[in-house]
Amino acid sequence: MDPRWWAVVVLAALPSLGAGGEKNLEAPPESWTQLWFFRFLVNAAGYASFMVPGYLLVQYFRRKNYLETGRGLCFPLVKTCVFGNEPKAPDEVPLAARTEPAETSPTWQALKLLFCASGLQVSYLTWGVLQERVMTRSYGATATSPGERFSDSQFLVLMNRILALMVAGVYCILCKQPRHGAPMYRYSFASLSNVLSSWCQYEALKFVSFPTQVLAKASKVIPVMLMGKLVSRRSYEHWEYLTAGLISIGVSMFLLSSGPEPHSSPATTLSGLILLAGYIAFDSFTSNWQDALFAYKMSSVQMMFGVNLFSCLFTVGSLLEQGALLEGIRFMGRHSEFAAHTLLLSICSACGQLFIFYTIGQFGAAIFTIIMTLRQAFAILLSCLLYGHTVTVVGGLGVAVVFAALLLRVYARGRLKQRGKKAVPVESSVQKV
């Protein structure tokens, strides 16, 4: 790689160029070990300490044809993790697929739609407000003390995944699910990319505003399409490229016209943009890998359980290797407000995923996309009101262009469905946070 690119990355991670919002309340990082780029490499090394041995074991069992020759107490575990069960017949529909609702009154349907829309808005708007609060504000501040800010994004990812794993596990126990056929190890790839995308998402808030992050999420359809062509060999319609271009224009208008955040600098913005690019790239891979896993006819809740199971294993192992797990727990003990925020973040994350499944099952992906698009717009407005972010007229126009393009995508996909043509999915609804 050209040394100049490494210089750009190192410049973006310099500790003297910290995050926006209330930076004056936090002392600069004590050493280079506090750089986000270094923490990313340490986290990745921790995940690799599990992924690499696991991958070698999978290859070993496959080369030894263990499915045919294996015996003993470990055989069922190895079969489930490495080989899985035979996938269901192609004509069998998984339980998670949308089914036409029974004959109900329009009033009842309207109430269900209101329930779904309210659940999604409350879950994810609360999640967004708390996410920004946890990552950009200090805890324990008094008249004589600036307090301390929580900085370990990986610990927050773990807290979210633990509750999501518990909710998915209970749901799978109480409700009938399709016979599981996927080898368990295949979840680890989506889990790894999901953990890394979530880490980048939390970490980016130290450098860019929440509205900027929301707009970056809205533009992820572009790398998702690129990943779709690379991973799944998909082709797209002309209108999909058109709306992707409009989204790019709108995001560019917002980023180039909006005034800088307090205490920000070009290098902090560069750090945030690099982290947002990492979030989008990892999340795009997650979506496409999950789409491929659905070929095993699993339900969305089974997918949720499998991905969160490996996410918990990866994050717990990495935190233990770094000695950061106990520090995160001690921080929760010192600041009860942080503990409450973390718990509420996890509840919103888990409940939001369940609302996603129910909304798509009842009303389809188009209605769900409209609700989530409106949620993104409300999230920007709410963040500006609560945390004082400024948006210029041109920046506001860019936001409008982005959401108009997103709604145009929904309309165009609906028209294709009416004509009997299958629109290519460009994002997964299993992991949103």
Side-chain angles (χ1 to χ4, degrees):
M1 180 180 289
D2 192 327
R4 290 175 295 180
W5 286 106
W6 284 108
V8 171
V9 173
V10 172
L11 175 64
L14 285 175
S16 60
L17 302 172
E22 289 190 345
K23 179 187 173 184
N24 57 314
L25 297 180
E26 183 182 21
E30 297 178 355
S31 68
W32 60 275
T33 59
Q34 299 301 313
L35 303 181
W36 68 262
F37 187 63
F38 177 81
R39 293 197 305 273
F40 176 84
L41 294 179
V42 171
N43 292 345
Y47 306 146
S49 67
F50 293 90
M51 285 288 291
V52 173
Y55 176 79
L56 294 177
L57 279 175
V58 169
Q59 296 303 312
Y60 170 79
F61 286 122
R62 288 185 173 277
R63 285 198 307 269
K64 293 295 184 179
N65 197 20
Y66 188 82
L67 189 60
E68 302 295 334
T69 62
R71 296 292 184 272
L73 295 177
C74 295
F75 178 76
L77 178 63
V78 173
K79 179 183 177 183
T80 300
C81 294
V82 178
F83 300 97
N85 300 305
E86 289 295 324
K88 304 185 75 169
D91 57 345
E92 188 171 349
V93 180
L95 296 183
R98 184 191 176 199
T99 56
E100 292 299 326
E103 291 295 330
T104 56
S105 65
T107 302
W108 179 244
Q109 285 294 98
L111 289 175
K112 286 202 297 184
L113 179 59
L114 179 62
F115 171 73
C116 292
S118 301
L120 288 169
Q121 299 292 348
V122 170
S123 297
Y124 285 111
L125 287 177
T126 304
W127 174 82
V129 169
L130 286 174
Q131 183 192 37
E132 187 168 9
R133 167 66 182 89
V134 169
M135 298 306 300
T136 63
R137 300 296 188 269
S138 299
Y139 286 92
T142 62
T144 59
S145 172
E148 56 181 334
R149 187 180 298 178
F150 188 77
S151 60
D152 194 345
S153 301
Q154 187 175 210
F155 184 82
L156 293 176
V157 175
L158 172 62
M159 293 297 101
N160 289 348
R161 298 303 179 260
I162 288 177
L163 187 59
L165 176 66
M166 295 171 60
V167 170
V170 171
Y171 191 97
C172 288
I173 293 173
L174 297 179
C175 302
K176 184 179 179 181
Q177 302 294 315
R179 180 173 179 267
H180 189 268
M184 288 297 295
Y185 83 91
R186 291 180 64 85
Y187 289 108
S188 63
F189 300 101
S191 176
L192 178 61
S193 59
N194 180 255
V195 167
L196 290 173
S197 69
S198 297
W199 184 89
C200 290
Q201 182 181 10
Y202 280 114
E203 200 74 10
L205 283 176
K206 299 177 182 178
F207 303 97
V208 297
S209 67
F210 184 77
T212 301
Q213 187 185 87
V214 172
L215 265 292
K217 292 180 187 179
S219 66
K220 74 178 183 179
V221 295
I222 302 169
V224 167
M225 290 171 63
L226 294 176
M227 284 288 185
K229 293 186 73 69
L230 294 176
V231 177
S232 305
R233 306 297 181 184
R234 287 175 176 162
S235 59
Y236 298 94
E237 301 286 340
H238 294 298
W239 60 265
E240 293 182 284
Y241 291 107
L242 172 63
T243 53
L246 289 175
I247 291 173
S248 298
I249 293 173
V251 172
S252 299
M253 291 172 61
F254 177 83
L255 294 178
L256 295 176
S257 64
S258 297
E261 291 293 309
H263 309 291
S264 67
S265 70
T268 62
T269 302
L270 178 59
S271 293
L273 293 180
I274 293 174
L275 288 165
L276 287 176
Y279 159 73
I280 293 173
F282 289 126
D283 191 66
S284 301
F285 177 85
T286 302
S287 300
N288 283 279
W289 191 268
Q290 287 175 333
D291 286 341
L293 278 180
F294 275 120
Y296 288 93
K297 307 301 180 184
M298 68 186 66
S299 71
S300 296
V301 180
Q302 287 174 321
M303 174 74 76
M304 178 179 172
F305 180 86
V307 172
N308 283 301
L309 174 62
F310 279 96
S311 297
C312 289
L313 293 176
F314 289 149
T315 50
V316 167
S318 179
L319 286 169
L320 287 174
E321 290 176 356
Q322 300 175 37
L325 182 60
L326 291 180
E327 177 56 35
I329 296 174
R330 283 194 289 264
F331 192 95
M332 295 179 70
R334 292 195 301 270
H335 305 288
S336 58
E337 185 183 10
F338 171 76
H341 288 168
T342 303
L343 177 61
L344 191 53
L345 265 174
S346 302
I347 293 174
C348 291
S349 173
C351 291
Q353 291 185 49
L354 294 180
F355 272 111
I356 287 174
F357 304 147
Y358 184 75
T359 303
I360 293 178
Q362 292 293 318
F363 300 101
I367 296 298
F368 164 75
T369 305
I370 292 174
I371 295 174
M372 295 303 283
T373 301
L374 295 175
R375 190 271 301 181
Q376 291 176 318
F378 291 150
I380 291 178
L381 177 61
L382 192 60
S383 179
C384 291
L385 292 176
L386 292 178
Y387 299 109
H389 302 299
T390 58
V391 179
T392 65
V393 175
V394 177
L397 181 60
V399 173
V401 170
V402 170
F403 290 114
L406 292 174
L407 294 175
L408 178 60
R409 291 180 71 85
V410 177
Y411 171 77
R413 292 166 74 83
R415 294 281 295 178
L416 280 181
K417 186 175 181 180
Q418 289 179 353
R419 295 176 182 175
K421 294 181 65 177
K422 184 178 179 182
V424 177
V426 296
E427 63 177 342
S428 171
S429 60
V430 176
Q431 296 287 344
K432 282 290 176 184
V433 296

